[in-house]
Amino acid sequence: MAVKAFDEMNSGTGGLVRAPYRGVADWLARTSPERVAATRHEVDLFYRRNGITFGAYGAVDGHETTIPFDIIPRVIAWDEWDFLHKGLVQRVKALNAFLADTYSTREICRAGVIPENQILMNAEFVAMAQGLALPGGIHAHIAGIDLVRVGEKDFYVLEDNVRTPSGVSYVLENREVMMRLAPELFSAMRVLPVANYSEELLATLRSVSFSDEAAPNVVLLTPGHFNSAYFEHAYLADEMGIELVEGSDLFVDEGRVYMRTPRGPQRVDVIYRRVDDAFLDPLEMRPDSFLGVAGLLGALRAGRVNIVNALGNGVADDKSTYTYVPEMIRFYLGEEPILSNVPTWRCDRPDDFKYVLEHLSELVVKEVHGSGGKGMLVGPTSSKAEIEAFAGFVRARPDNYIAQPTLALSTCPTFVAQGIAPRHVDLRPYVLSGRKTTIIPGGLTRVALKEGSLVVNSSQGGGTKDTWVLAPEAGAGG
Amino acid sequence: MLSSTAKNLYWMGRYLQRAKSTARLIEATQRMALQSRGEEAAGIAAIFGMEDEFRQVQQQGHRLASLIDFLVLDENNPSSIVSSVGAARSNAREERNNLTIDVWESLNGLWLELGARLRGDRAVLDRGALIELVMKQSVMIFGAAQVTLLRDEAYNFLQLGAFLERGDNTARILDVKFQLLCPGGDPNTSGLDYFAWAEMLACIGAVRTYRRIYRSALDPVKVAELMMLRRDVPRSVHHCLWMVDLNMRELAETYGARGEADRLAGELHARLRYARVEQIFQIGLHKFLGGVREDIATLSDEIGRQFLLD
């Protein structure tokens, strides 16, 4: 690539190692290649035996593959994290306000900030969620905000995920593995812990129950073990000590939700669902769904059960609504956005459309509702033929695409076949919103293992790293 | 705990025990086949109630070897070792959060290892080593369950599945083999074939046990007594049904309720506990074991009904 990317370890002033990475650089220098190879082998065994699978759809050898883990941690200084933390809290607050507004009076449309069609014509808008008064007014209880870095001080929000963001189990497992493999590194650096995530998640889920019972019954609803993120569902349920249920474990009677147990039906108050909106209730959504529970939405409307995340959140996180988030922050909070959006062209605007088609070879073009790194074009790394083909898609449905400049995502040193080399990374922190807002330090660092690749999605061959936020003293002067 | 969890653990216990029993049965039969008449293949097919399937397989080549492949490796045979381990593993996978890492790792490890061997060249696949792997590793898995699992309702369901399966296996082996060796069911008609009776005991791993208990030559009535009625023999029908009853009682205590399954479990246990081997031979061994096996099947259905597993 033409632009030299910012390397989080080696782009210090004068080409020196940046302060937060000194411990890691020392460790790499001290540790023999044999020891490193042995360590990497150990990691692989650990992950295989524990059955950690992501199983990107379309994997050739069945649905069980493991996601590569890179043993060099990604380090974030305290002051960097402090800045991101404030920005994330602000952004998710605004997204929640927007969702509550979307499904009530839509003040933001009345004020002329967002056209009403942006909401009502959105394929993810769920009409039957209109008028629901949810506990605490919270819709996006668990949000995964994808961030990228391009320079010492420059972070951007790449996209918001407020439907059913996944990946947090890797944050927790990666840390476990890392502590086992390099305890000496932890004693040298003060790394903020992440293991309290499940406890915070459970507290968040309990805090949004309609019932005022002291210990509401919370369950995690999974589509089942053929789902690519099944491991994560089981893992989180286990960590929280709650039941992992499938649709067939639940039923609705007299407007209440119950789970089937050997001792008889037991009431359910909050459902942390990892099933998409369309499959939740065959009576009201897709009638062919076997993943949901008949009558569930009726129980939700009656205020007998809360569903987390709320229905219809897709309105807030598609890539065309994304362009309005800075305006949402100003409108609902009266504040200036702390975190910046990536400049975005919307192909449904004539000027933008023209610009995008003329500059395809420089831009990243994405489907408005796309996810998982599919249905996108990375101009600079695509062939002429690929660009031509993609131009055809954009012309056919301009409203389905947005475009952004190709960012030189920051890189981190990563183990690859040839040794240690810089690879592009992003960061997904997980923001929990209930009666209070909680973010565990760091989040999921995804790394594009292919040289030069900017696509970090695990379904496209990306890997992960442990993400270290350093405690205030240790990170000072970074 | 969910009903579906109970169901998965119950079936995990059954499938794992099935794989283990099949492995032991094949190992015993193979060893005996090397030193006797060569009717073993038909005998095993009968034990699995697969005479028809076996006839089909048989037409394709060597009898015992092809039968063994059918029972061990054939993924189209739902009761083969490979299928059983796969089924147990997928039950366990759905209940990962109700199992300890030790149980999961040992079961998943077996599944991965079987998969790796099956993907290799079948011509050089060492069947004996594979069967030994299954026997050893299933002992590890049950051992891990015993020393690491919380003693809660989930554990009771795992035990129920394993012991019902094991009890039924032993009853079936005894029933089928006895009929082959003593046509008409009269123990006195047997031509005291040492190898045949030793093989029967080996199927439940009890040759040495027999020596320790009876300190005498192999005798058909004593073999039958050991396999059915000895409470201290962990694979006897009595021992298994005792354990079933015990686990049912613990569940009844936990849930504060009893049903038809509890009654049946208690009745089956009592039947084996108070039976005398002479009386059984008066009634007819085949008739007695047939009744027990039928009631084990009914009990399994009742457990499903009572605990909403269906």
Side-chain angles (χ1 to χ4, degrees), chain A residues 46 48-53 63-64 225-227 230-231 233-235 237-238 242-246 248-250 259-266, chain B residues 1-6 8 89-90 92-99 101 104-105 108-109 111-112 153 157 251 254-256 306-310:
Chain A
F46 179 86
R48 273 211 101 77
R49 282 214 323 272
N50 278 297
I52 297 183
T53 58
H63 58 273
E64 309 243 348
H225 68 277
F226 292 107
N227 186 272
Y230 179 76
F231 161 74
H233 307 161
Y235 182 91
D238 193 15
I242 65 173
E243 292 294 349
L244 177 67
V245 304
E246 294 183 31
S248 56
D249 290 312
L250 301 179
M259 58 185 193
R260 290 175 225 275
T261 80
R263 69 168 81 221
Q266 282 190 335
Chain B
M1 188 186 70
L2 296 170
S3 291
S4 55
T5 296
N8 278 321
R89 192 254 182 191
S90 75
R93 187 175 194 252
E94 287 193 47
E95 300 307 329
R96 252 203 66 152
N97 53 340
N98 288 299
L99 297 169
I101 286 182
W104 167 250
E105 280 195 353
N108 196 39
W111 184 79
L112 288 172
E153 12 170 9
F157 281 102
L251 284 174
T254 308
Y255 299 148
Q306 189 168 319
F307 301 114
L308 313 166
L309 309 191
D310 300 324

Side-chain angles (χ1 to χ4, degrees), chain A residues 363-381:
Chain A
L363 301 173
V364 176
V365 190
K366 297 175 183 172
E367 278 182 17
V368 169
H369 297 293
S371 71
K374 288 180 200 151
M376 66 184 278
L377 175 84
V378 181
T381 60

Side-chain angles (χ1 to χ4, degrees), chain A residues 40-239:
Chain A
R40 293 182 67 201
H41 182 66
E42 244 175 273
V43 171
D44 204 48
L45 280 182
F46 179 86
Y47 275 84
R48 273 211 101 77
R49 282 214 323 272
N50 278 297
I52 297 183
T53 58
F54 189 84
Y57 292 113
V60 192
D61 56 346
H63 58 273
E64 309 243 348
T65 49
T66 60
I67 183 169
F69 169 67
D70 184 70
I71 64 169
I72 305 179
R74 194 257 188 100
V75 188
I76 297 171
W78 168 254
D79 54 343
E80 293 168 348
W81 175 248
D82 189 43
F83 164 78
L84 294 178
H85 187 279
K86 290 191 178 94
L88 290 164
V89 170
Q90 179 195 53
R91 190 170 178 102
V92 172
K93 220 178 237 178
L95 287 170
N96 266 308
F98 170 69
L99 281 165
D101 192 20
T102 288
Y103 290 104
S104 60
T105 52
R106 290 188 280 282
E107 295 302 324
I108 198 164
C109 304
R110 271 163 239 286
V113 177
I114 294 181
E116 200 150 29
N117 272 351
Q118 176 67 32
I119 294 172
L120 297 181
M121 303 302 282
N122 193 306
E124 296 291 325
F125 181 77
V126 175
M128 67 193 65
Q130 179 72 36
L132 285 180
L134 299 179
I138 307 292
H139 289 243
H141 310 82
I142 298 120
I145 309 295
D146 291 349
L147 302 172
V148 295
R149 180 175 205 172
V150 297
E152 182 65 56
K153 298 248 177 265
D154 308 311
F155 292 88
Y156 288 109
V157 175
L158 198 59
E159 82 186 35
D160 306 293
N161 298 279
V162 295
R163 280 172 266 184
T164 53
S166 64
V168 75
S169 55
Y170 291 105
V171 175
L172 306 175
E173 282 285 273
N174 289 351
R175 178 62 55 86
E176 288 298 320
V177 174
M178 213 54 215
M179 288 195 296
R180 192 181 292 193
L181 297 178
E184 68 275 20
L185 202 43
F186 280 88
S187 42
M189 299 168 73
R190 293 195 53 213
V191 182
L192 293 176
V194 295
N196 56 334
Y197 178 80
S198 356
E199 200 165 316
E200 296 292 353
L201 176 59
L202 183 59
T204 300
L205 294 168
R206 284 184 162 177
S207 78
V208 294
S209 169
F210 279 105
S211 82
D212 44 15
E213 247 177 79
N217 188 16
V218 181
V219 298
L220 196 160
L221 176 66
T222 172
H225 68 277
F226 292 107
N227 186 272
S228 63
Y230 179 76
F231 161 74
E232 174 159 305
H233 307 161
Y235 182 91
L236 288 175
D238 193 15
E239 288 284 309

Side-chain angles (χ1 to χ4, degrees), chain B residues 228-298:
Chain B
M228 278 190 293
L229 304 181
R230 294 290 306 207
R231 182 161 111 153
D232 50 1
V233 173
R235 291 189 187 84
S236 77
V237 182
H238 179 187
H239 182 93
C240 295
L241 292 174
W242 175 36
M243 287 298 136
V244 167
D245 193 25
L246 202 77
N247 281 283
M248 287 297 295
R249 280 163 199 251
E250 285 180 10
L251 284 174
E253 207 169 289
T254 308
Y255 299 148
R258 282 182 172 73
E260 172 60 15
D262 297 273
R263 190 197 65 77
L264 196 51
E267 197 271 321
L268 262 172
H269 174 205
R271 199 186 307 168
L272 272 297
R273 179 170 177 186
Y274 297 113
R276 288 283 166 266
V277 73
E278 302 78 25
Q279 290 171 322
I280 291 175
F281 277 103
Q282 272 168 20
I283 305 167
L285 180 71
H286 180 57
K287 198 173 162 203
F288 178 80
L289 288 174
V292 168
R293 293 193 53 207
E294 209 169 285
D295 288 343
I296 287 177
T298 310

Side-chain angles (χ1 to χ4, degrees), chain B residues 129-146:
Chain B
L130 192 128
I131 286 166
E132 200 174 307
L133 169 79
V134 173
M135 291 201 302
K136 283 225 165 93
Q137 195 69 20
S138 53
V139 169
M140 292 271 291
I141 299 163
F142 280 121
Q146 209 195 340

Side-chain angles (χ1 to χ4, degrees), chain A residues 192-468:
Chain A
L192 293 176
V194 295
N196 56 334
Y197 178 80
S198 356
E199 200 165 316
E200 296 292 353
L201 176 59
L202 183 59
T204 300
L205 294 168
R206 284 184 162 177
S207 78
V208 294
S209 169
F210 279 105
S211 82
D212 44 15
E213 247 177 79
N217 188 16
V218 181
V219 298
L220 196 160
L221 176 66
T222 172
H225 68 277
F226 292 107
N227 186 272
S228 63
Y230 179 76
F231 161 74
E232 174 159 305
H233 307 161
Y235 182 91
L236 288 175
D238 193 15
E239 288 284 309
M240 288 188 281
I242 65 173
E243 292 294 349
L244 177 67
V245 304
E246 294 183 31
S248 56
D249 290 312
L250 301 179
F251 67 96
V252 176
D253 186 36
E254 303 271 329
R256 283 192 191 286
V257 183
Y258 296 91
M259 58 185 193
R260 290 175 225 275
T261 80
R263 69 168 81 221
Q266 282 190 335
R267 213 178 96 187
V268 172
D269 300 301
V270 179
I271 300 177
Y272 174 25
R273 51 86 175 220
R274 299 291 292 261
V275 171
D276 290 344
D277 285 357
F279 297 94
L280 276 178
D281 184 347
L283 294 183
E284 305 204 35
M285 310 293 272
R286 281 180 62 157
D288 60 342
S289 169
F290 292 104
L291 306 176
V293 186
L296 186 59
L297 300 191
L300 170 68
R301 274 194 298 271
R304 297 287 175 75
V305 73
N306 198 4
I307 297 176
V308 172
N309 284 348
L311 267 84
N313 279 8
V315 173
D317 72 359
D318 79 38
K319 294 178 181 72
S320 69
T321 306
Y322 164 86
T323 56
Y324 292 106
V325 177
E327 288 306 318
M328 290 177 199
I329 293 171
R330 291 183 192 103
F331 180 76
Y332 293 113
L333 311 178
E335 297 169 7
E336 272 308 299
I338 297 169
L339 294 172
S340 315
N341 264 13
V342 180
T344 302
W345 292 276
R346 302 170 47 115
C347 298
D348 59 347
R349 289 177 179 150
D351 289 354
D352 288 12
F353 176 69
K354 191 159 168 280
Y355 179 87
V356 169
L357 281 183
E358 283 166 6
H359 296 84
L360 278 178
S361 64
E362 302 157 23
L363 301 173
V364 176
V365 190
K366 297 175 183 172
E367 278 182 17
V368 169
H369 297 293
S371 71
K374 288 180 200 151
M376 66 184 278
L377 175 84
V378 181
T381 60
S382 299
S383 70
K384 251 202 152 72
E386 284 168 332
I387 291 175
E388 274 310 306
F390 211 87
F393 302 147
V394 177
R395 270 191 211 98
R397 284 220 36 207
D399 61 314
N400 198 33
Y401 293 93
I402 56 107
Q404 292 168 340
T406 309
L407 298 176
L409 305 193
S410 61
T411 56
C412 274
T414 302
F415 273 107
V416 294
Q418 305 81 22
I420 299 176
R423 288 291 181 269
H424 296 291
V425 293
D426 79 348
L427 176 67
R428 173 182 289 184
Y430 295 86
V431 183
L432 298 176
S433 308
R435 298 288 168 189
K436 59 177 183 141
T437 303
T438 316
I439 313 176
I440 52 162
L444 180 65
T445 290
R446 296 183 297 179
V447 51
L449 295 172
K450 257 198 300 185
E451 185 172 8
S453 171
L454 294 168
V455 185
V456 295
N457 302 75
S458 55
S459 53
Q460 305 285 304
T464 67
K465 283 169 169 289
D466 191 13
T467 309
W468 291 8

